[in-house]
Amino acid sequence: MIKTDINGDIGIISLDRPPVNAINPELVSDLTDALDSFKSNDDVNGVILQGRDGCFSAGLDITHLFPKDRSYIEGFWEDFSSLLLNMFSYPKPLYSSIGGHCPAGGTVMVIMSDYRIMSKGNYFIGLNEVDVGLTVPYGIGMVFQYVVGNRNAEDLLLKAKLISPDKALQVGLVDELCNAENLLDTTLERIAVASNLYSPQQTKTKQILREQTLSIVEQNFDKDAQLILDAWFSEHGQQRLEVLYSKLSRK
Amino acid sequence: MIKTDINGDIGIISLDRPPVNAINPELVSDLTDALDSFKSNDDVNGVILQGRDGCFSAGLDITHLFPKDRSYIEGFWEDFSSLLLNMFSYPKPLYSSIGGHCPAGGTVMVIMSDYRIMSKGNYFIGLNEVDVGLTVPYGIGMVFQYVVGNRNAEDLLLKAKLISPDKALQVGLVDELCNAENLLDTTLERIAVASNLYSPQQTKTKQILREQTLSIVEQNFDKDAQLILDAWFSEHGQQRLEVLYSKLSRK
Amino acid sequence: MIKTDINGDIGIISLDRPPVNAINPELVSDLTDALDSFKSNDDVNGVILQGRDGCFSAGLDITHLFPKDRSYIEGFWEDFSSLLLNMFSYPKPLYSSIGGHCPAGGTVMVIMSDYRIMSKGNYFIGLNEVDVGLTVPYGIGMVFQYVVGNRNAEDLLLKAKLISPDKALQVGLVDELCNAENLLDTTLERIAVASNLYSPQQTKTKQILREQTLSIVEQNFDKDAQLILDAWFSEHGQQRLEVLYSKLSRK
């Protein structure tokens, strides 16, 4: 479900759960372990997260999650948001190589990283939570604002926009576009500038820059779980999720 | 003074106090009522605020207000800033159609909405409070920063700049420009993307994104009233307001 | 070490410590005095800070500071950060004319001012603290984010980037570029728009816009001194500073 590799001093984590890297409890757990392992590995000065060709991740595994009860979803959400918190406060440079579609939970993961490079192509990226009956919780909303700014955050989130790589570059949701065949090499080139300077001082500087946002995320950690659960199990949420579930189950 | 209309599921509020929609207590009160009425109307999923052809609003009615005493201005300011707070925390999509001039109090109202479309033309928009002897209070300053960012906010507010539609688009004070004849239709088209997704989850997401700013606005609500009153009745403030009053009274 | 002049109602402070305006205790003290003197001068409505032709400032005087002990550095840092705090909360318009190189401590000073105009040319500007073994402390980090936004701040600071005037304009680290021969005249022209409106209301508005950031800076004032001292006297910090010290001493 997760493959790891080391290139020089850069750890590479590849999400590999065909066909679309749908996020289920096992993927969350394996990704958490991979990040922890590179964190404590003194030979690793930076980490790249990538998906599969054509798809970084399609988001949460609704087929698996929709039939589950409230306590199951609660446990899953707690693990998933702990993973996100670990990513946003990761002490080493953490870059994303986005080689294709990256909606919903895919976007949620990559905004936690330091830098996003996306393949040019007919792909989409964005947070469509509001369209599937979910609230964008504090943790994800604050980081999204941190990345794209207030006006873009409102425009994209309240309209549940899934956008092209070109538009994502324009609003700052990704930092750079490149051709699919150069994606990993370009990401390795970019992260080298940061990983060459990896030091306690760099880590502390990153923590200082993210501290205001991180503190709001942490303060609302429990409240966010309730927001997600309430929306998920609301009448409106169940209706929207069922539409999605039926569509995905037919595939 | 205020006309309301409903187009599909969109409520339209038109300021109509000739010649320039100067903001007086009655306009504040009527606009508050119109917003409240659309808020509680289950057939309305979004609201558009527009002014008159060629003028959204010239700002506060100085001719009416300047001769008044401190307690009158205090009451007026309290009502006006409650209106602004209602707009910034409006639960439904709230868009502005700006068909002309929109200085001072005009700008103050439209920055509270979610999205601003302005007519191309020889119009101006901006906050010139500092030039008329007033302080930009916390509530308005924080929302202005939320919309245009810190650097643009300083540049525009400390220099009391009134700017063209083109410049307003460039600094992010408006989101889009269009020809006057298409203004309302374009706004209806844009708001539809948001109003089609109107739901408790969308409302909650908007609230989460605005909460940090709203909280500073609310904390400084009383302090702001004192700031405005102190500036208004300071020697410098009275001098600047009298210049404005004389100019307006001669018309 | 500091020359002052008055042009109309604008105070001009010129850093003049050949060859590169390296920041030592005396320069900090003289600059503090010059700013205080213009602050209390009722004939001065705005202040311009400039360096030498080709070099605004190369940053801290490492040749002087590196051999010193912890208590000396602590005293120096306290004075330097008090100066920065005075600049960020300066009640009058404070503009920077950047006529050349402006790395490290040079950048730290100019980001505290209201507006930055830089000469076109083969110069560099930026904060390379992380590359010389130092942490970017809260005070400097928060103001840097205030000026260039979160994403640019991370990209520039974690990679310790020194950038060209063109790139600095693009990311918002400077507000405008001009030819060296017009630099002071252009800055005088720009500051006039603000200084003509200098009033208690303008000062209060500036204070309101900067208050959130200033408050974080002040809260972390003591913690920042410890961060700098710990990084300075860490093994990694001493190694990096010694490299710099040797390079500078050979000149």
Side-chain angles (χ1 to χ4, degrees):
Chain A
M1 207 164 274
I2 296 277
K3 293 179 182 160
T4 62
D5 190 16
I6 293 187
N7 182 313
D9 64 347
I10 303 300
I12 300 175
I13 300 176
S14 307
L15 306 180
D16 190 30
R17 185 179 176 226
V20 294
N21 286 331
I23 303 166
N24 70 353
E26 197 182 340
L27 187 137
V28 168
S29 166
D30 289 1
L31 178 51
T32 300
D33 291 345
L35 285 164
D36 283 349
S37 160
F38 282 142
K39 191 194 291 192
S40 56
N41 184 336
D42 288 342
D43 297 330
V44 167
N45 294 326
V47 175
I48 292 174
L49 184 62
Q50 65 177 359
R52 293 164 54 82
D53 281 354
C55 185
F56 182 87
S57 166
L60 300 188
D61 185 350
I62 298 297
T63 310
H64 172 78
L65 294 168
F66 181 66
K68 297 293 191 288
D69 68 7
R70 189 170 175 118
S71 101
Y72 187 93
I73 301 297
E74 186 166 12
F76 170 75
W77 183 260
E78 197 177 305
D79 292 343
F80 183 51
S81 37
S82 297
L83 166 65
L84 299 177
L85 212 53
N86 280 336
M87 292 175 75
F88 193 65
S89 56
Y90 204 68
K92 298 180 177 180
L94 177 61
Y95 280 43
S96 300
S97 264
I98 308 170
H101 293 304
C102 189
T107 296
V108 166
M109 289 194 291
V110 299
I111 59 173
M112 302 296 151
S113 70
D114 304 2
Y115 197 84
R116 286 154 291 283
I117 308 185
M118 190 170 186
S119 290
K120 291 172 189 168
N122 194 15
Y123 304 125
F124 49 85
I125 181 170
L127 279 186
N128 60 334
E129 309 338 56
V130 164
D131 193 29
V132 298
L134 297 179
T135 300
V136 178
Y138 286 88
I140 294 167
M142 298 300 101
V143 174
F144 201 85
Q145 283 182 315
Y146 182 87
V147 171
V148 302
N150 299 326
R151 271 171 73 237
N152 288 327
E154 285 199 3
D155 194 53
L156 295 169
L157 299 183
L158 300 181
K159 294 177 181 160
K161 279 191 185 170
L162 296 173
I163 58 181
S164 68
D166 283 333
K167 178 75 182 168
L169 181 66
Q170 189 194 316
V171 298
L173 185 52
V174 302
D175 297 282
E176 206 175 321
L177 301 184
C178 77
N179 294 320
E181 60 269 30
N182 305 321
L183 181 61
L184 185 58
D185 283 348
T186 304
T187 315
L188 282 163
E189 213 175 286
R190 295 297 179 270
I191 199 173
V193 184
S195 59
N196 287 340
L197 295 172
Y198 174 61
S199 66
Q201 286 79 352
Q202 186 195 56
T203 300
K204 185 67 190 168
T205 298
K206 179 173 166 182
Q207 185 223 309
I208 285 173
L209 293 175
R210 296 190 166 196
E211 188 171 298
Q212 302 300 315
T213 300
L214 189 61
S215 143
I216 300 171
V217 175
E218 286 173 338
Q219 280 163 33
N220 289 285
F221 193 85
D222 294 335
K223 199 196 273 186
D224 272 354
Q226 293 314 308
L227 275 174
I228 288 293
L229 289 166
D230 288 348
W232 187 285
F233 291 99
S234 69
E235 204 186 313
H236 177 73
Q238 286 287 300
Q239 279 168 0
R240 302 296 298 161
L241 287 166
E242 187 158 25
V243 169
L244 195 59
Y245 176 73
S246 305
K247 207 161 64 178
L248 293 165
S249 306
R250 271 199 308 272
K251 281 185 183 173
Chain B
M1 207 164 273
I2 296 277
K3 292 178 183 160
T4 62
D5 191 15
I6 293 188
N7 181 314
D9 64 346
I10 303 300
I12 300 176
I13 300 177
S14 308
L15 307 179
D16 190 29
R17 186 180 174 224
V20 294
N21 287 331
I23 303 166
N24 70 353
E26 197 183 339
L27 187 137
V28 169
S29 166
D30 289 0
L31 177 52
T32 301
D33 291 346
L35 286 163
D36 284 350
S37 159
F38 282 142
K39 191 194 291 191
S40 57
N41 184 336
D42 289 342
D43 296 330
V44 167
N45 293 326
V47 174
I48 293 174
L49 184 62
Q50 66 177 359
R52 293 164 54 82
D53 281 354
C55 184
F56 181 86
S57 166
L60 299 189
D61 186 350
I62 298 297
T63 311
H64 173 79
L65 294 168
F66 181 65
K68 297 292 191 287
D69 68 7
R70 188 169 175 119
S71 101
Y72 188 92
I73 302 296
E74 185 166 13
F76 170 75
W77 183 261
E78 198 177 304
D79 292 342
F80 183 51
S81 37
S82 297
L83 167 65
L84 299 176
L85 212 55
N86 280 335
M87 291 175 75
F88 193 64
S89 56
Y90 204 68
K92 297 179 178 181
L94 177 61
Y95 279 44
S96 300
S97 264
I98 308 170
H101 293 304
C102 189
T107 296
V108 166
M109 289 193 292
V110 299
I111 59 173
M112 301 296 151
S113 70
D114 304 2
Y115 197 84
R116 287 152 291 282
I117 308 186
M118 189 170 187
S119 290
K120 293 173 189 168
N122 194 15
Y123 304 125
F124 49 84
I125 182 171
L127 279 186
N128 60 334
E129 309 336 59
V130 164
D131 193 29
V132 298
L134 297 179
T135 301
V136 178
Y138 287 87
I140 295 167
M142 297 302 99
V143 175
F144 201 84
Q145 283 182 315
Y146 181 88
V147 171
V148 302
N150 299 327
R151 271 171 72 238
N152 288 327
E154 284 200 3
D155 193 54
L156 296 168
L157 298 182
L158 301 180
K159 293 177 182 161
K161 279 192 187 170
L162 296 174
I163 58 181
S164 67
D166 282 334
K167 178 76 181 166
L169 181 67
Q170 189 194 315
V171 299
L173 185 51
V174 302
D175 297 282
E176 206 175 319
L177 301 183
C178 78
N179 293 320
E181 60 269 30
N182 305 321
L183 181 60
L184 184 58
D185 283 347
T186 304
T187 315
L188 283 163
E189 213 174 287
R190 295 296 179 270
I191 199 173
V193 184
S195 58
N196 287 339
L197 295 172
Y198 174 62
S199 65
Q201 285 80 352
Q202 186 195 56
T203 300
K204 184 67 190 168
T205 298
K206 180 173 165 182
Q207 185 224 309
I208 285 174
L209 293 175
R210 296 190 164 194
E211 188 171 299
Q212 303 300 314
T213 301
L214 189 62
S215 143
I216 300 170
V217 175
E218 285 173 339
Q219 280 163 32
N220 290 285
F221 193 85
D222 294 335
K223 199 196 274 184
D224 272 354
Q226 293 314 307
L227 275 173
I228 287 293
L229 288 166
D230 289 349
W232 187 284
F233 290 100
S234 70
E235 204 185 315
H236 176 74
Q238 287 288 298
Q239 281 167 0
R240 302 297 297 162
L241 285 167
E242 187 158 23
V243 170
L244 195 58
Y245 176 72
S246 307
K247 207 162 63 177
L248 293 166
S249 306
R250 271 198 308 274
K251 282 186 182 172
Chain C
M1 209 163 270
I2 295 277
K3 292 179 183 160
T4 61
D5 190 14
I6 293 188
N7 182 313
D9 64 346
I10 302 300
I12 299 175
I13 300 177
S14 307
L15 306 180
D16 190 29
R17 186 180 174 224
V20 294
N21 286 330
I23 302 166
N24 70 353
E26 198 183 339
L27 187 138
V28 168
S29 166
D30 289 1
L31 178 51
T32 301
D33 291 345
L35 285 165
D36 283 350
S37 159
F38 282 142
K39 191 194 290 192
S40 57
N41 184 337
D42 288 342
D43 296 332
V44 167
N45 294 326
V47 175
I48 292 174
L49 184 62
Q50 65 177 0
R52 293 163 56 81
D53 281 354
C55 185
F56 181 88
S57 166
L60 299 189
D61 185 350
I62 298 298
T63 311
H64 172 78
L65 294 168
F66 181 65
K68 297 292 191 289
D69 68 7
R70 189 170 174 118
S71 101
Y72 187 92
I73 301 296
E74 185 166 13
F76 170 76
W77 183 261
E78 197 177 305
D79 293 342
F80 183 51
S81 38
S82 297
L83 167 65
L84 299 177
L85 211 53
N86 279 336
M87 293 175 74
F88 193 64
S89 56
Y90 204 67
K92 297 180 179 180
L94 177 61
Y95 280 44
S96 300
S97 264
I98 308 169
H101 293 304
C102 190
T107 296
V108 166
M109 288 194 291
V110 299
I111 59 172
M112 301 296 153
S113 70
D114 304 2
Y115 197 84
R116 287 153 291 282
I117 309 186
M118 189 169 187
S119 290
K120 292 172 190 169
N122 193 15
Y123 304 125
F124 49 85
I125 182 171
L127 279 185
N128 60 335
E129 306 344 51
V130 164
D131 192 29
V132 298
L134 297 179
T135 301
V136 178
Y138 287 87
I140 294 167
M142 298 301 101
V143 175
F144 201 85
Q145 284 181 314
Y146 182 87
V147 170
V148 302
N150 299 328
R151 271 171 72 237
N152 288 326
E154 285 200 2
D155 193 54
L156 296 168
L157 299 182
L158 300 181
K159 293 177 183 162
K161 279 191 186 171
L162 296 173
I163 57 180
S164 69
D166 282 334
K167 178 76 181 165
L169 181 66
Q170 189 194 314
V171 299
L173 185 52
V174 302
D175 297 282
E176 207 174 319
L177 302 182
C178 77
N179 294 320
E181 60 270 29
N182 305 321
L183 180 60
L184 184 58
D185 283 348
T186 304
T187 315
L188 282 164
E189 212 175 288
R190 294 297 179 271
I191 199 173
V193 184
S195 59
N196 287 340
L197 294 173
Y198 174 60
S199 65
Q201 285 79 354
Q202 187 195 57
T203 300
K204 185 66 190 170
T205 298
K206 180 173 164 182
Q207 185 223 307
I208 285 173
L209 293 175
R210 296 189 166 196
E211 188 171 300
Q212 302 301 314
T213 301
L214 189 62
S215 144
I216 300 171
V217 175
E218 286 173 338
Q219 280 163 33
N220 290 286
F221 194 85
D222 294 335
K223 198 195 274 183
D224 272 354
Q226 293 313 308
L227 275 174
I228 288 293
L229 289 166
D230 288 348
W232 188 285
F233 292 100
S234 69
E235 203 185 316
H236 177 73
Q238 287 288 299
Q239 281 167 0
R240 302 296 298 162
L241 286 167
E242 188 158 24
V243 170
L244 195 59
Y245 176 73
S246 307
K247 207 162 64 176
L248 293 166
S249 305
R250 273 198 308 272
K251 282 187 181 172

